[in-house]
Amino acid sequence: MLNYLDFETSDDGEGITTFDAMAYATAERWPALRAEVEQVLEWCSAQFGQPGSLEHDHPWDLDLQLQSKSGHALAVHWDAQQRRLVAPDAALCEAVQLSLTISGNESFALSLESRFLGDDA
């Protein structure tokens, strides 16, 4: 069950599905948001390997962006080997806004939808 990430789904008509989510969290809620993002990305990595360019036949890829409450960009990335979200300055901010885009092939998209977006997720 996802509490912070509310994905919007789009299909490019060529077999690639994109899942976009934005989440806002205060400093107190940042650890919970971070854990939820890690849960999703850990599952993606465990099921489909490390993210990579879809043009080079990787089954999935991602884009992460993080901003402070005042709109300043913060460093953030998914460490696929350690399977953790790295955002060193997020805990120092009053609040943050995270944007997560996950794209994948048909098999990946169906699995992600079933795991996190279905009625039983």
Side-chain angles (χ1 to χ4, degrees):
M1 176 70 116
L2 299 177
N3 297 310
Y4 293 92
L5 300 173
D6 184 17
F7 286 102
E8 291 186 20
T9 306
S10 62
D11 188 324
D12 73 353
E14 296 181 16
I16 301 298
T17 301
T18 300
F19 303 87
D20 289 304
M22 288 184 115
Y24 182 85
T26 61
E28 296 80 28
R29 301 247 182 231
W30 166 246
L33 171 57
R34 178 180 172 173
E36 187 166 295
V37 171
E38 287 178 339
Q39 174 191 1
V40 171
L41 297 180
E42 281 179 51
W43 179 88
C44 294
S45 295
Q47 298 299 312
F48 292 91
Q50 293 187 12
S53 171
L54 299 174
E55 293 174 356
H56 293 108
D57 295 324
H58 286 269
W60 75 290
D61 202 1
L62 73 115
D63 180 59
L64 278 165
Q65 295 181 22
L66 190 65
Q67 292 183 345
S68 67
K69 181 179 178 180
S70 60
H72 292 95
L74 301 172
V76 62
H77 77 275
W78 172 243
D79 183 334
Q81 289 185 339
Q82 297 294 317
R83 293 193 179 167
R84 65 184 192 102
L85 186 66
V86 178
D89 296 327
L92 305 175
C93 296
E94 179 182 346
V96 294
Q97 179 174 306
L98 179 128
S99 299
L100 171 61
T101 300
I102 303 173
S103 299
N105 63 25
E106 184 177 358
S107 176
F108 172 85
L110 290 172
S111 294
L112 182 70
E113 286 174 342
S114 175
R115 175 65 178 94
F116 292 105
L117 307 179
D119 293 335
D120 297 329

